[in-house]
């Protein structure tokens, strides 16, 4: 049996990658990085210089090896998705965790979208956070389309949803197509009637041409409250019904169970989010989620095959594999 010899250059490369991720994708100061990596500020500076001089950093962070961590490989093998894992310390608050995942996701998204693309966006707490960190990428003939209605019994939802979509439109010089309908109808028959209207069919048609779908995960048990469960979208009877039907969360206000089933959940007949069978036809489906309190809902979305890419924090990534 031979001893394994550690490569000091590989150790330095790994440390440089960690420092570069924190500095370029999470906007941490060198002092904050030094504290997180348990090293000195001057060491962080040298690591960043090493990252630049050796080509690890060139607009995007790149690994000279496989470009994917052990966790990312394991998640890809188990769930058949591409995982983008954001290093966040375990002691971070859930609000800080969300912000750091959202910031990294905003930077990653810029590499996904390009000219002549249509991107669908589902509103929610995660998309709100993400919209604040978008990096401008002027492209042409791009389109942003709202995936689900936002009105409820307290508000039209126009200000809330339109602000999120406007930020995405501004960042990518894209035309924004809004969807001015309720999040949930009172009667499934009303939804069926409105879905026959030409104006509604037009928006649904735009959704059908999506190149990218971007969404978070909603959960009634999330530490950072999911908007749909806290802002007047559901009444007591709705909440009771969801509990009886073993719902663990939602994607774009379409509810699902941990096993990925969703078609027979009562409230989905009244929901204005995209049919999940249709969503699965989109070439790139990007889910952004933070915190293990959404784990059951995240597993449900994975079981339903709703995503091609997942952007999550390291703790959640580990929990997915436990």
């Amino acid at each position: 049996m031979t001893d394994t010899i550690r490569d000091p250059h590989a150790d330095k490369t790994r440390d440089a990658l960690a420092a570069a991720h924190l500095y370029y994708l999470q906007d941490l100061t060198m002092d904050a990085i030094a504290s997180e990596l348990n090293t000195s500020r001057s060491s962080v500076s040298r690591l960043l210089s090493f990252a630049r001089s050796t080509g690890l950093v060139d607009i995007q962070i790149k690994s000279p090896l496989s470009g994917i961590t052990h966790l990312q490989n394991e998640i890809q093998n188990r769930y058949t998705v591409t995982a983008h894992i954001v290093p966040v310390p375990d002691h971070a608050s859930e609000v800080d965790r969300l912000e750091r995942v959202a910031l990294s996701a905003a930077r990653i998204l810029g590499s996904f979208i390009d000219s002549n693309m249509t991107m669908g966006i589902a509103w929610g707490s995660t998309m709100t956070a993400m919209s604040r960190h978008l990096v401008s990428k002027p492209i042409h003939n791009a389109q942003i389309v709202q995936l689900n209605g936002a009105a409820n019994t307290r508000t039209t939802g126009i200000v809330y949803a339109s602000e999120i979509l406007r930020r995405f439109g501004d960042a990518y010089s894209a035309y924004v197509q809004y969807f001015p309908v309720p999040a949930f109808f009172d009667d499934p028959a009303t939804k069926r009637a409105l879905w026959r209207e030409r104006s509604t069919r037009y928006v649904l048609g735009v959704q059908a041409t999506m190149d990218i779908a971007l969404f978070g995960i909603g959960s009634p048990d999330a530490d950072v409250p999911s908007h749909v469960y806290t802002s007047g979208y559901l009444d007591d009877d709705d909440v009771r019904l969801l509990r009886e039907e073993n719902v663990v969360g939602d994607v774009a206000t379409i509810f699902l169970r941990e096993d990925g089933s969703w078609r027979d959940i009562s409230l989905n007949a009244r929901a204005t989010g995209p049919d999940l069978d249709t969503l699965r036809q989109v070439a790139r489906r990007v889910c952004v989620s933070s915190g293990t309190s959404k784990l059951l809902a995240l597993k449900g979305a994975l079981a339903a095959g709703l995503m091609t890419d997942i952007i999550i924090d390291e703790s959640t990534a580990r929990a997915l594999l436990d």
Side-chain angles (χ1 to χ4, degrees), residues 112-133:
F112 293 165
I113 189 168
D114 214 332
S115 297
N116 305 310
M117 283 188 171
T118 295
M119 179 165 65
I121 296 176
W123 52 261
S125 302
T126 302
M127 293 302 105
T128 301
M130 192 174 168
S131 71
R132 293 194 293 263
H133 300 294

Side-chain angles (χ1 to χ4, degrees), residues 14 26 30 51 59 65 90 114 118 122 139 160 171 182 198 201 209 217 223 285 293 297 308:
R14 186 165 50 251
Q26 297 192 30
M30 284 197 283
I59 301 177
L65 305 174
D90 290 341
D114 214 332
T118 295
I139 53 181
Y160 173 71
R198 285 179 295 173
R201 291 208 313 269
T209 68
I217 294 287
D223 289 336
R285 308 179 301 279
S293 60
T308 59

Side-chain angles (χ1 to χ4, degrees), residues 185-321:
F185 287 101
D186 290 335
D187 187 333
T190 308
K191 174 185 172 179
R192 291 194 295 270
L194 188 59
W195 257 226
R196 292 194 293 268
E197 291 293 319
R198 285 179 295 173
S199 58
T200 306
R201 291 208 313 269
Y202 173 77
V203 179
L204 297 175
V206 174
Q207 291 178 1
T209 68
M210 287 186 292
D211 302 284
I212 303 173
L214 177 66
F215 51 88
I217 294 287
S219 169
D221 303 315
D223 289 336
V224 177
S226 296
H227 199 72
V228 70
Y229 302 97
T230 61
S231 301
Y233 289 94
L234 304 172
D235 60 28
D236 291 342
D237 288 338
D238 294 332
V239 172
R240 176 186 52 77
L241 192 56
L242 291 177
R243 192 177 302 114
E244 289 175 355
E245 295 185 334
N246 300 314
V247 166
V248 295
D250 74 282
V251 168
T253 58
I254 299 295
F255 298 102
L256 69 168
R257 302 183 183 91
E258 187 180 355
D259 64 2
S261 61
W262 58 275
R263 291 181 183 85
D264 61 336
I265 295 173
S266 305
L267 265 67
N268 288 340
R270 300 194 277 115
T272 56
D275 179 272
L276 298 188
D277 287 326
T278 301
L279 183 62
R280 283 191 296 218
Q281 302 305 310
V282 180
R284 178 160 241 157
R285 308 179 301 279
V286 183
C287 174
V288 184
S289 185
S290 69
T292 56
S293 60
K294 292 185 176 182
L295 188 62
L296 291 181
L298 184 58
K299 285 183 175 180
L302 285 164
L306 299 184
M307 59 198 78
T308 59
D309 295 77
I310 182 172
I311 304 174
I312 53 175
D313 60 282
E314 192 171 355
S315 296
T316 302
R318 290 196 302 266
L320 275 176
L321 297 172

Side-chain angles (χ1 to χ4, degrees), residues 16-196:
L17 282 168
H21 199 296
L22 294 170
Y23 188 74
Y24 292 104
L25 291 185
Q26 297 192 30
D27 283 353
L28 266 64
T29 66
M30 284 197 283
D31 286 332
I33 296 169
S35 175
E36 188 157 316
L37 298 183
N38 196 27
T39 188
S40 66
R41 189 181 190 279
S42 59
S43 294
V44 172
S45 179
R46 287 193 294 270
L47 286 171
L48 293 174
S49 295
F50 175 79
R52 290 190 295 269
S53 65
T54 55
L56 296 178
V57 173
D58 181 14
I59 301 177
Q60 297 180 11
I61 299 174
K62 301 183 290 185
S63 168
L65 305 174
S66 67
I68 193 166
T69 67
H70 173 71
L71 277 176
Q72 288 169 329
N73 270 322
E74 288 295 310
I75 289 174
Q76 184 165 17
N77 290 338
R78 183 175 299 185
Y79 296 104
T80 321
V81 297
T82 300
H84 309 263
I85 298 173
V86 181
V88 180
D90 290 341
H91 59 75
S93 71
E94 291 306 310
V95 172
D96 185 41
R97 187 179 304 277
L98 170 61
E99 284 298 313
R100 290 171 68 162
V101 169
L103 190 152
S104 292
R107 306 296 170 87
I108 293 168
L109 182 64
S111 66
F112 293 165
I113 189 168
D114 214 332
S115 297
N116 305 310
M117 283 188 171
T118 295
M119 179 165 65
I121 296 176
W123 52 261
S125 302
T126 302
M127 293 302 105
T128 301
M130 192 174 168
S131 71
R132 293 194 293 263
H133 300 294
L134 295 168
V135 178
S136 266
K137 181 181 180 180
I139 53 181
H140 66 273
N141 197 35
Q143 188 170 198
I144 305 291
V145 61
Q146 183 177 338
L147 286 183
N148 50 329
N152 60 45
T153 56
R154 300 180 190 172
T155 172
T156 64
I158 291 173
V159 174
Y160 173 71
S162 63
E163 179 64 13
I164 298 171
L165 271 70
R166 181 193 61 78
R167 290 172 180 168
F168 279 90
D170 289 349
Y172 302 125
S173 303
Y175 174 75
V176 176
Q177 178 64 62
Y178 298 103
F179 196 20
V181 296
F184 302 99
F185 287 101
D186 290 335
D187 187 333
T190 308
K191 174 185 172 179
R192 291 194 295 270
L194 188 59
W195 257 226
R196 292 194 293 268

